[in-house]
């Protein structure tokens, strides 16, 4: 490994790197080679306690700073992230296996966008004035929640650390972030950069560990909120644990999102959307449109053009800028997805493209397309979280919408059509938090992102995120004598 991937220490607490080798070792594996490139240690109870105490100790003073001051620090951190984009992108590629051609434009840059956006917003997070009868009035204060715990998935380790940290800090909270044990490296850089940008010690801390460390953080009495990005089963456990203390939550969970392509759609755009929504990051994206419903008249043309475009896949060394398709994050994830492909074949779906594990080093799987998928097949019901697209055929708009919504998930949904009114009808009818017309999978910081139904609670990004990192206090001001009954 030509890159220096071993972090200074496993954890980042109160403004500095901290090590405790008594914690269980976690090996970091480079998905392209299968070789160990770094080792960190899970947080012991003493480390978790130290991080929570640091966040707790720092919170009041951080909240007492003006929004302008907090925002300046976040925006400075955004600038540093952009200056170091190349090195951060290399680290992201080492951690996840995603190609550098992607990480250079989608990870530290997206994290920097969040820091800049919420940094800019910090000074505008204010209450309101509500006039009442007789000159009385209420004013509201939008106050921070306190110490927030962030828990990340492995697919976007830098982005997730920033999407949670930036709004939390902008609102005057402090954070203890636990990255996924599969990709523990990038969040440490976020903590380092925030500190360099002027965040006081304890404002943003990182501790490593498996699920048990995450679980231990959530129920600590010092914690006011937990924001998780992960699978639905983990979300159910974390939400239940948070409920015990009536803690606030944001849950960014899994999906089985539909992409509906009508026969009047721009074919090239629809195919591009399906590629973005199934194969970007080797299919390891929560909002992927993995159920591609294509209207009957367009199915053959769609599959032909899709297959042609898949000839341009360049699978290989993530550090080669020509590579546009990397390995999966881990051998385990590759094996899970392979099992889904086998199930699809056994169920009688028509394999149109891929379906194999290439004979090479690393956790690669070919981009895979199934056609003639029916709604009851596991291919169409289960979140696969890998490069597997299912194409389903439909006839009418009513049928497409009904089948698109026939899932317990509700993260994303897209419609491809040139019919303006149909596009908006579909968008209104989708039971999903994040919808697209004539594209799929974009997540700019300005737009709310999140799921309905089993895909989540709350929203990240946009002004909406502020609602989930603050609480409103109403203050009644009497301007008249108090009238009592006796
Ligand atoms: P996961 O649920 O296995 O783990 C997510 C995180 O939760 C990890 O850090 C893990 O250590 C932690 N965790 C596990 N059990 C826990 C417990 N009992 N208490 C506290 N923390 C616990 O998910 P993953 O495999 O890392 O990521 C893939 C999943 O994440 C997919 O389902 C995907 O759809 C989802 N995801 C959602 C979004 C979104 O924004 N909606 C984004 C990315 C990934």
């Amino acid at each position: 490994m030509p890159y220096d991937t071993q972090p200074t220490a496993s954890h980042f607490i109160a403004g500095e790197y901290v090590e405790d080798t008594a914690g269980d070792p976690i090996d970091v594996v480079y998905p392209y080679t299968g070789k160990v490139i770094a080792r960190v240690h899970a947080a012991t109870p003493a480390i978790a306690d130290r991080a929570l105490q640091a966040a707790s100790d720092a919170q009041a003073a951080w909240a007492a700073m003006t929004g302008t001051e907090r925002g300046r620090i976040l925006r400075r951190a955004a600038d540093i992230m952009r200056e170091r984009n190349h090195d951060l992108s290399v680290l992201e590629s080492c951690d996840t296996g995603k190609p550098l051609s992607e990480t250079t434009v989608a990870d530290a840059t997206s994290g920097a966008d969040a820091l800049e956006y919420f940094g800019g917003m910090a000074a505008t997070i204010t209450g309101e004035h509500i006039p009442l009868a007789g000159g009385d009035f209420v004013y509201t204060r939008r106050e921070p929640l306190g110490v927030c715990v962030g828990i990340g998935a492995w697919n976007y380790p830098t982005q997730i650390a920033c999407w949670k940290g930036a709004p939390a800090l902008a609102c005057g909270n402090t954070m203890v972030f636990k990255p996924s044990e599969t990709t523990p490296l990038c969040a440490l850089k976020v903590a380092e950069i925030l500190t360099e940008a002027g965040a006081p010690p304890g404002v943003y801390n990182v501790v490593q560990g498996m699920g048990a460390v995450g679980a231990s953080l959530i129920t600590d009495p010092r914690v006011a909120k937990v924001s998780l990005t992960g699978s639905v089963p983990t979300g159910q456990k974390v939400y239940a644990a948070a409920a015990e203390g009536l803690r606030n939550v944001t849950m960014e969970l899994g999906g089985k999102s539909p992409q509906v392509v009508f026969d009047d759609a721009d074919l090239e755009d629809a195919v591009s959307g399906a590629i973005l929504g199934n194969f970007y990051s080797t299919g390891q994206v929560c909002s992927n449109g993995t159920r591609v419903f294509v209207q009957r008249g367009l199915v053959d043309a769609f599959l032909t053009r899709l297959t042609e475009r898949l000839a341009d896949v360049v699978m290989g060394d993530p550090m080669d800028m020509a590579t546009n398709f990397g390995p999966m994050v881990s051998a385990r994830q590759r094996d899970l997805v392979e099992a889904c492909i086998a199930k699809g074949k056994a169920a009688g779906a028509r394999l149109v493209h891929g379906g194999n594990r290439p004979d090479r080093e690393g956790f690669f799987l070919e981009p895979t397309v199934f056609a003639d998928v029916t709604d009851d097949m596991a291919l169409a019901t289960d979140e696969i979280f890998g490069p597997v697209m299912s194409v389903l055929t439909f006839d009418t708009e009513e049928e497409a919408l009904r089948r698109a919504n026939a899932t317990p998930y509700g993260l994303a949904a897209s419609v491809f059509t040139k019919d303006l009114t149909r596009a908006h009808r579909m968008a209104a009818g989708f039971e999903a938090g994040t919808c697209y017309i004539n594209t799929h999978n974009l997540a700019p910081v300005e737009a709310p992102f999140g799921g309905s139904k089993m895909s989540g609670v709350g929203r990240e990004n946009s002004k909406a995120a502020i609602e989930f990192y603050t609480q409103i206090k109403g203050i009644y001001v009497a301007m008249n004598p108090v009238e009592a009954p006796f």
Side-chain angles (χ1 to χ4, degrees):
M1 174 55 57
Y3 307 101
D4 185 13
T5 41
Q6 178 63 41
T8 308
S10 300
H11 318 289
F12 196 98
I13 300 172
E16 57 188 26
Y17 276 101
V18 175
E19 190 55 271
D20 181 356
T21 52
D24 291 340
I26 300 173
D27 284 340
V28 187
V29 174
Y30 183 35
Y32 178 54
T33 59
K35 303 256 167 20
V36 174
I37 54 166
R39 169 174 278 196
V40 296
H41 292 269
T44 55
I47 286 285
D49 177 68
R50 202 165 143 185
L52 289 166
Q53 196 54 43
S56 180
D57 290 346
Q59 199 264 321
W62 176 245
M65 285 167 71
T66 65
T68 306
E69 289 167 325
R70 287 196 303 272
R72 194 177 301 135
I73 291 168
L74 297 184
R75 286 184 292 108
R76 206 179 287 143
D79 290 344
I80 299 173
M81 284 198 93
R82 289 210 178 88
E83 280 159 24
R84 298 193 193 147
N85 184 38
H86 177 73
D87 288 355
L88 294 169
S89 303
V90 167
L91 189 68
E92 174 95 19
S93 288
C94 291
D95 223 0
T96 62
K98 292 185 292 182
L100 195 57
S101 62
E102 269 190 26
T103 55
T104 301
V105 296
D107 292 283
T109 52
S110 163
D113 282 354
L115 290 163
E116 185 171 7
Y117 178 85
F118 288 108
M121 194 182 279
T124 72
I125 300 167
T126 58
E128 60 178 347
H129 169 268
I130 305 162
L132 299 170
D136 285 7
F137 64 94
V138 165
Y139 67 92
T140 64
R141 288 165 51 88
R142 195 167 270 284
E143 298 182 342
L145 299 169
V147 175
C148 299
V149 166
I151 301 177
W154 43 256
N155 57 344
Y156 283 83
T158 306
Q159 185 188 82
I160 294 171
C162 292
W163 280 19
K164 298 193 187 307
L169 269 49
C171 294
N173 305 284
T174 55
M175 177 160 274
V176 176
F177 185 80
K178 188 202 83 64
S180 164
E181 57 273 29
T182 311
T183 54
L185 303 178
C186 300
L188 290 168
K189 289 289 172 196
V190 174
E192 210 181 285
I193 287 170
L194 277 163
T195 303
E196 195 178 327
V203 164
Y204 188 88
N205 311 275
V206 174
V207 298
Q208 308 292 349
M210 324 289 277
V213 171
S216 76
L217 297 173
I218 302 162
T219 49
D220 189 278
R222 287 164 288 195
V223 171
K225 176 193 168 112
V226 55
S227 175
L228 168 77
T229 297
S231 62
V232 170
T234 302
Q236 289 169 313
K237 282 185 219 152
V238 171
Y239 200 176
E244 170 261 343
L246 292 177
R247 295 187 173 85
N248 289 263
V249 297
T250 298
M251 294 281 143
E252 291 288 352
L253 309 178
K256 190 73 199 175
S257 301
Q259 174 184 339
V260 179
V261 181
F262 286 94
D263 59 13
D264 67 340
D266 180 299
L267 180 63
E268 214 54 33
D269 281 347
V271 170
S272 296
I275 288 172
L276 268 185
N278 282 273
F279 301 130
Y280 199 72
S281 301
T282 315
Q284 303 165 117
V285 181
C286 51
S287 49
N288 271 355
T290 47
R291 292 181 296 141
V292 183
F293 291 92
V294 184
Q295 203 162 16
R296 195 171 301 278
L298 195 68
V299 174
D300 289 344
F302 179 88
L303 289 172
T304 303
R305 188 63 192 128
L306 177 65
T307 313
E308 282 167 13
R309 296 269 301 269
L310 287 172
D312 293 337
V313 168
V314 182
M315 186 189 288
D317 182 351
M319 299 305 166
D320 181 345
M321 284 303 270
T323 297
N324 58 24
F325 191 85
M328 303 214 57
V329 75
S330 63
R332 181 175 172 273
Q333 190 65 18
R334 190 259 322 269
D335 295 349
L336 286 171
V337 176
E338 245 184 344
C340 295
I341 293 172
K343 251 194 201 172
K345 287 178 186 165
R350 176 161 59 99
L351 185 64
V352 175
H353 189 91
N356 299 307
R357 179 199 291 213
D359 183 20
R360 61 184 300 162
E361 208 181 35
F363 309 136
F364 284 94
L365 257 192
E366 290 172 349
T368 298
V369 179
F370 282 102
D372 303 341
V373 176
T374 55
D375 296 355
D376 55 338
M377 289 181 188
L379 279 177
T381 56
D382 299 358
E383 185 185 40
I384 297 175
F385 221 60
V388 182
M389 182 194 302
S390 294
V391 177
L392 305 92
T393 307
F394 75 94
D395 291 296
T396 67
E397 179 182 322
E398 175 280 328
E399 175 201 348
L401 186 61
R402 179 174 42 79
R403 292 172 61 197
N405 285 338
T407 167
Y409 296 109
L411 187 51
S414 63
V415 55
F416 285 75
T417 179
K418 292 203 188 91
D419 181 334
L420 192 65
T421 52
R422 177 158 67 190
H424 292 291
R425 256 194 323 270
M426 289 292 290
F430 282 139
E431 295 169 359
T434 311
C435 295
Y436 302 96
I437 294 175
N438 292 330
T439 189
H440 198 101
N441 253 7
L442 306 180
V445 69
E446 296 86 350
F449 185 85
S452 58
K453 301 203 289 191
M454 295 293 275
S455 289
V457 177
R459 292 293 177 267
E460 293 196 309
N461 289 343
S462 80
K463 284 180 257 181
I466 300 302
E467 303 285 329
F468 298 95
Y469 282 102
T470 53
Q471 56 193 330
I472 291 177
K473 180 184 280 175
I475 298 156
Y476 191 112
V477 181
M479 301 293 283
N480 300 286
V482 178
E483 286 180 21
F486 52 85

